[in-house]
Amino acid sequence: MRFATGLVLIDAPASALNMFGKPAESAEENEVAVKKLKKGRNIYAYISPQAWRYWWRKTLEIYFSWNMSPLFRTEKQVFTAANPIKYDDDDVFGYMWAPKTERGKNEQGFALTRVSPLKTTPLISVLPARNSLTLDEGYASRHEGDPVPYRQEFYSTIFKGAFSLDLDAVGRFTIVYKSGYLNLLTPEAIPRILELVSDKKKKEKVLKKALEVMNYEEEYLEPAKQLGVKMLEKEWIMPDEVRKKRATETILALRLLTGGAKQTQYHTDVTPKFVLLLNVDAGINPFISDIVFEESGEVKFDSEALALRLNDLRDVIPEKARLYIGYDKGFIRSLGWDVEEIKAAIEEAGVQVSTGSVKSSIEEFVKEIEAYYG
């Protein structure tokens, strides 16, 4: 199992990238707060994983022309097509769809589900709210009549987030009857599934109806044949070139990340200004937890903690794998970090390090991913 893992830092010098809405405790009608969480005695602004993943998905659509899955809406839920053969994002971002006679309605607990190969944390402010958040009080006065007061939070901070992309899961779809692993349904799988349930007649009816609603032959089988998908009893595997393309473009999209709320008033470049990238042969992420932290109002990097952590993980770091440190020179200068010192500390732990711009580091890291698929 190999995972492409990473940490990103996004500079938000005056921004409001993900809003909560009106705070419950506010008496003001026109007040909008940013999303916040509490950790210990401190409160931190954050950007939800849904928002970050939406930016990432949109960037893949815009800059890499990904074929995006259509959305189907019910009163309280929204679903994608749940077709990773045709739609790139259903493969990498996962899905849950409970088919019946029309999109969005469940029946007998049956659902196509896929655990997302791409895992993401929220993007959380490194600085606590007391050192990063402010409330703008203003008046809308472009209209005729009395000005209308409003209040709006925004922050000046750095957001930290981590991700992990399961390279083995990309382009590989299981047909196993349990939550998260019934990625596809085939006519051949129905007898095997019926052996696992008690009410076989009722379940058989549901499964056959699901195949009809899915339009299995046209939407799944024919596209799979055209692409050369390897179709086994319990899994379908896309050709290596398709898997490689989807995995590498997912990582390459990071440097072009686009999105965020309130961009008209607080224009913010959300592309990462600092990245750590490493392939790991285990489902862990060495960059989660406090190697980037706040101390006395400053953002610090604990290279010794990272070096010790990587030293502990050397048995699951692939041979010839390198830690890639990508950085924006101006951003690093503003923090007072010395990348060469960070590099030296980590190489003492026996892990090779490459440094460069964010763009060059991501592109070099992607070459390791390409080599993994052959």
Side-chain angles (χ1 to χ4, degrees), residues 58-75:
K58 201 67 182 173
T59 302
L60 285 160
E61 180 182 11
I62 294 170
Y63 294 102
F64 295 89
S65 302
W66 270 29
N67 191 21
M68 310 304 279
S69 187
L71 297 175
F72 302 91
R73 173 76 190 270
T74 65
E75 185 178 353

Side-chain angles (χ1 to χ4, degrees), residues 33-106:
V34 298
K35 290 186 175 179
K36 296 185 282 290
L37 61 87
K38 191 169 185 180
K39 180 181 178 183
R41 291 177 296 181
N42 289 324
I43 294 173
Y44 297 84
Y46 76 94
I47 296 164
S48 71
Q50 300 95 305
W52 185 16
R53 291 170 73 85
Y54 176 76
W55 301 353
W56 206 327
R57 216 172 187 136
K58 201 67 182 173
T59 302
L60 285 160
E61 180 182 11
I62 294 170
Y63 294 102
F64 295 89
S65 302
W66 270 29
N67 191 21
M68 310 304 279
S69 187
L71 297 175
F72 302 91
R73 173 76 190 270
T74 65
E75 185 178 353
K76 295 183 178 179
Q77 294 174 304
V78 63
F79 302 84
T80 69
N83 187 341
I85 307 298
K86 290 184 66 175
Y87 303 111
D88 304 294
D89 60 329
D90 272 346
D91 180 359
V92 172
F93 290 84
Y95 50 79
M96 176 177 178
W97 176 54
K100 191 187 172 187
T101 54
E102 59 185 276
R103 299 277 178 177
K105 291 186 178 179
N106 194 5

Side-chain angles (χ1 to χ4, degrees), residues 9-295:
L9 297 182
I10 291 174
D11 188 23
S15 315
L17 294 166
N18 196 199
M19 309 306 291
F20 170 77
K22 181 179 176 297
E25 69 277 10
S26 175
E28 302 293 335
E29 286 298 321
N30 291 335
E31 180 170 341
V32 182
V34 298
K35 290 186 175 179
K36 296 185 282 290
L37 61 87
K38 191 169 185 180
K39 180 181 178 183
R41 291 177 296 181
N42 289 324
I43 294 173
Y44 297 84
Y46 76 94
I47 296 164
S48 71
Q50 300 95 305
W52 185 16
R53 291 170 73 85
Y54 176 76
W55 301 353
W56 206 327
R57 216 172 187 136
K58 201 67 182 173
T59 302
L60 285 160
E61 180 182 11
I62 294 170
Y63 294 102
F64 295 89
S65 302
W66 270 29
N67 191 21
M68 310 304 279
S69 187
L71 297 175
F72 302 91
R73 173 76 190 270
T74 65
E75 185 178 353
K76 295 183 178 179
Q77 294 174 304
V78 63
F79 302 84
T80 69
N83 187 341
I85 307 298
K86 290 184 66 175
Y87 303 111
D88 304 294
D89 60 329
D90 272 346
D91 180 359
V92 172
F93 290 84
Y95 50 79
M96 176 177 178
W97 176 54
K100 191 187 172 187
T101 54
E102 59 185 276
R103 299 277 178 177
K105 291 186 178 179
N106 194 5
E107 185 171 341
Q108 299 298 314
F110 172 76
L112 294 181
T113 56
R114 174 167 172 77
V115 177
S116 170
L118 179 64
K119 280 82 175 171
T120 51
T121 67
L123 292 162
I124 300 176
S125 171
V126 178
L127 298 172
R130 67 174 185 277
N131 289 338
S132 61
L133 195 67
T134 191
L135 183 66
D136 177 43
E137 301 195 48
Y139 293 88
S141 57
R142 293 177 59 192
H143 59 287
E144 187 175 4
D146 294 337
V148 177
Y150 67 87
R151 308 173 82 189
Q152 178 179 297
E153 287 184 337
F154 71 101
Y155 36 64
S156 178
T157 190
I158 293 166
F159 285 98
K160 176 179 65 175
F163 69 87
S164 174
L165 179 63
D166 184 343
L167 301 184
D168 287 298
V170 173
R172 191 169 191 161
F173 316 119
T174 52
I175 312 169
V176 177
Y177 190 56
K178 67 177 183 177
S179 181
Y181 295 88
L182 190 61
N183 302 163
L184 303 170
L185 177 65
T186 65
E188 296 77 15
I190 290 179
R192 177 165 52 81
I193 292 173
L194 292 176
E195 291 299 316
L196 303 172
V197 300
S198 54
D199 194 343
K200 299 185 191 310
K201 286 187 178 179
K202 199 167 187 179
K203 185 62 75 175
E204 183 177 18
K205 183 180 176 183
V206 170
L207 294 173
K208 287 184 175 178
K209 188 188 291 183
L211 280 176
E212 292 176 11
V213 176
M214 291 163 55
N215 197 3
Y216 170 75
E217 296 275 343
E218 185 177 330
E219 294 293 320
Y220 292 79
L221 185 60
E222 288 306 318
K225 287 180 177 176
Q226 290 175 14
L227 286 169
V229 174
K230 187 177 181 181
M231 292 179 273
L232 305 175
E233 181 188 9
K234 290 189 176 182
E235 67 177 1
W236 286 13
I237 305 172
M238 300 287 275
D240 283 343
E241 285 306 309
V242 176
R243 301 176 71 196
K244 182 190 301 184
K245 179 176 183 297
R246 288 178 175 178
T248 56
E249 289 182 349
T250 299
I251 302 302
L252 287 169
L254 270 176
R255 78 172 191 86
L256 299 170
L257 202 62
T258 302
K262 300 291 181 182
Q263 287 283 11
T264 55
Q265 293 172 298
Y266 300 99
H267 181 41
T268 303
D269 176 10
V270 299
T271 58
K273 295 298 181 291
F274 181 86
V275 295
L276 297 175
L277 302 163
L278 179 69
N279 279 312
V280 181
D281 283 337
I284 55 180
N285 189 320
F287 309 125
I288 291 178
S289 78
D290 294 335
I291 54 174
V292 177
F293 61 100
E294 181 264 352
E295 184 177 87

